[in-house]
Amino acid sequence: MTKLTYSDSPFFSNWSQTYFTNLTLDQHIVNNNWLLNTLSMLKEDGELYVPCLNKSFNRLGEEIV
């Protein structure tokens, strides 16, 4: 499995800003890094569920509807 980087999806670099509008820049950076690191551990068909958003995301950080 290849390691994911911000260049794999433009969504990685602004994921936190999209879903959390009341955070500081430092908090957004931590959230975006957490997302990238967590998604990189998923299998190709894996899903990440984020309870505070009640949303799921695929390995590329795209919301699963």
Side-chain angles (χ1 to χ4, degrees), residues 13-36:
S13 61
N14 67 356
W15 178 83
S16 181
Q17 292 86 330
T18 300
Y19 289 97
F20 301 96
T21 57
N22 59 340
L23 301 179
T24 66
L25 177 59
D26 287 338
Q27 290 170 319
H28 285 305
I29 291 169
V30 170
N31 276 355
N32 290 331
N33 287 333
W34 169 83
L35 178 75
L36 181 64

Side-chain angles (χ1 to χ4, degrees), residues 3-61:
K3 183 173 168 56
L4 296 173
T5 66
Y6 279 122
S7 62
D8 291 319
S9 172
F11 192 64
F12 286 146
S13 61
N14 67 356
W15 178 83
S16 181
Q17 292 86 330
T18 300
Y19 289 97
F20 301 96
T21 57
N22 59 340
L23 301 179
T24 66
L25 177 59
D26 287 338
Q27 290 170 319
H28 285 305
I29 291 169
V30 170
N31 276 355
N32 290 331
N33 287 333
W34 169 83
L35 178 75
L36 181 64
N37 290 330
T38 304
L39 292 178
S40 69
M41 292 184 254
L42 292 177
K43 295 180 180 179
E44 294 295 324
D45 60 347
E47 293 182 15
L48 170 66
Y49 177 70
V50 181
C52 64
L53 297 175
N54 194 30
K55 295 182 185 293
S56 294
F57 300 89
N58 66 17
R59 190 165 190 269
L60 293 178

